[in-house]
Amino acid sequence: MTAARGYLRYTAGKLGGAAVSLLAVLVTSFFLFRIIPGDPVKALTHGTPTTAGQLASLRRQFGLDEPLWRQFTEYCAKALTGDLGISYQFRAPVGELIAEKAPATLLLTGVAVLVYSAVGLWLGARSAWRHGGLGDRINTGVALTLWSVPSFWLGLLLIITFSVGIGPVPGLFPTGGMESGDATGLGYAIDVAHHMVLPVLTLVAVGYAQTLLVMRSSLLDEMGGDYLTTARAKGLRDAVVRRRHAVPNALLPTVTMIFINLGHVAAGSILVETVFSWPGVGGLFYQALSVPDLPLVQGLFMVFAGAMILMNLLADLVYPLLDPRVRR
């Protein structure tokens, strides 16, 4: 009963912190994008002859003629009820636009997160267990290199090499998009998978490196523990000691990494989606930011930040289950 009460108290504190974070995001999402240079109305009417009266009418229609404090209170009142407003450029509810683009992003980044989390955990554990060896040096060197590479730059290199073709390497994959538009059924699934190869590879190459390095560092910290010596003294095989004793105790920092990566699933990768013309929320955010389309930018920022806060909250709630000392 005492343990359950302690966990409930711990959970209540984390929920309160998440609520405060969401309120901070609500305020930040409004004021942050108000300092972006540019006039949304002029950007939307660029290249179209427009009178001063028409510009004033559009500002009134978008509510931009209201005092800033009134815009803020109206924005907060709507956001707290789930109304993210109407996009300036698409003239559609922001929530519907995000819901329309979300499946493509969830597919792309979801697959990438699953792959690079599994690969990073496995290689990180093996590198730490055999630290100092040739395999560890190669894995660590490759991981550090890929972690330092900007994702958009790596994506462009992959497009040049495997889409356009270079030297003896022919163009094997599409340069962008999610589908060719002329397939159905199983053919459609294969077509989408074909388009996913390069953007997923880009995300995996950068993401697995970070997971590997965090897992390696965490496991190295555990390898001097007395409990591992005791496990070996009992006659357990080295692989069993690593899998059942060392790795579970090294997972706390990596759990945070995995949950943060899951939070990124909602946001996608803005640069990677833009480079590969992937029709997800990352590309939508780039379009919105270029105007700037304030309701759409604010709505996407709320979704991105909300997903990260939720995943951090879940990580905090899982910690005590992995290590009861955390709730103390």
Side-chain angles (χ1 to χ4, degrees):
M1 181 63 71
T2 303
R5 190 179 297 113
Y7 185 71
L8 288 176
R9 191 183 308 114
Y10 173 84
T11 301
K14 294 301 179 181
L15 288 172
V20 172
S21 297
L22 281 173
L23 288 175
V25 168
L26 186 67
V27 175
T28 303
S29 65
F30 179 84
F31 290 103
L32 176 64
F33 298 109
R34 290 301 191 283
I35 64 175
I36 297 176
D39 184 339
V41 173
K42 289 185 177 179
L44 290 171
T45 57
H46 180 70
T48 304
T50 310
T51 65
Q54 290 172 322
L55 292 175
S57 176
L58 283 173
R59 288 194 176 90
R60 186 165 53 253
Q61 179 184 340
F62 295 151
L64 295 175
D65 62 331
E66 299 283 351
L68 192 62
W69 67 267
R70 181 170 295 176
Q71 294 183 44
F72 176 65
T73 55
E74 290 179 359
Y75 162 72
C76 289
K78 290 181 178 179
L80 292 174
T81 60
D83 182 0
L84 299 178
I86 304 295
S87 166
Y88 293 164
Q89 55 183 323
F90 297 105
R91 306 297 175 91
V94 169
E96 292 182 6
L97 291 171
I98 295 175
E100 179 184 346
K101 299 291 186 180
T105 288
L106 294 177
L107 175 64
L108 177 67
T109 55
V111 170
V113 167
L114 289 175
V115 172
Y116 70 63
S117 294
V119 173
L121 287 173
W122 181 67
L123 288 178
R126 292 183 67 85
S127 291
W129 204 250
R130 296 178 174 83
H131 64 283
L134 178 62
D136 176 41
R137 293 198 297 271
I138 292 175
N139 282 331
T140 305
V142 172
L144 286 171
T145 301
L146 290 175
W147 198 9
S148 304
V149 173
S151 58
F152 72 91
W153 185 76
L154 179 60
L156 290 173
L157 285 182
L158 291 177
I159 289 175
I160 293 171
T161 305
F162 297 108
S163 292
V164 178
I166 182 171
V169 181
L172 301 174
F173 300 100
T175 57
M178 181 177 174
E179 57 182 288
S180 300
D182 55 357
T184 58
L186 180 60
Y188 174 77
I190 295 174
D191 183 39
V192 172
H194 190 219
H195 283 75
M196 285 178 61
V197 171
L198 293 185
V200 166
L201 182 59
T202 303
L203 293 172
V204 167
V206 177
Y208 106 91
Q210 186 178 22
T211 308
L212 181 151
L213 293 171
V214 171
M215 183 63 193
R216 180 182 181 277
S217 174
S218 181
L219 186 54
L220 283 174
D221 290 340
E222 295 291 331
M223 287 180 62
D226 293 337
Y227 68 95
L228 296 183
T229 303
T230 302
R232 291 190 181 96
K234 290 180 178 179
L236 295 179
R237 290 184 295 109
D238 199 55
V240 175
V241 173
R242 182 184 73 242
R243 186 174 62 253
R244 293 185 181 177
H245 298 278
V247 170
N249 284 288
L251 278 178
L252 278 184
T254 315
V255 164
T256 302
M257 179 72 61
I258 292 173
F259 275 97
I260 289 175
N261 291 340
L262 290 174
H264 286 157
V265 170
S269 178
I270 297 172
L271 294 177
V272 172
E273 287 192 9
T274 302
V275 167
F276 287 97
S277 301
W278 190 263
V281 293
L284 185 65
F285 186 79
Y286 177 80
Q287 287 179 275
L289 201 59
S290 62
V291 172
D293 187 339
L294 295 178
L296 186 52
V297 169
Q298 291 166 176
L300 287 166
F301 184 80
M302 282 288 295
V303 170
F304 297 166
M308 294 301 299
I309 291 171
L310 176 61
M311 289 300 109
N312 274 290
L313 173 62
L314 291 177
D316 287 336
L317 297 182
V318 168
Y319 279 171
L321 304 179
L322 296 175
D323 186 350
R325 294 172 297 177
V326 173
R327 74 185 70 165
R328 295 173 185 172

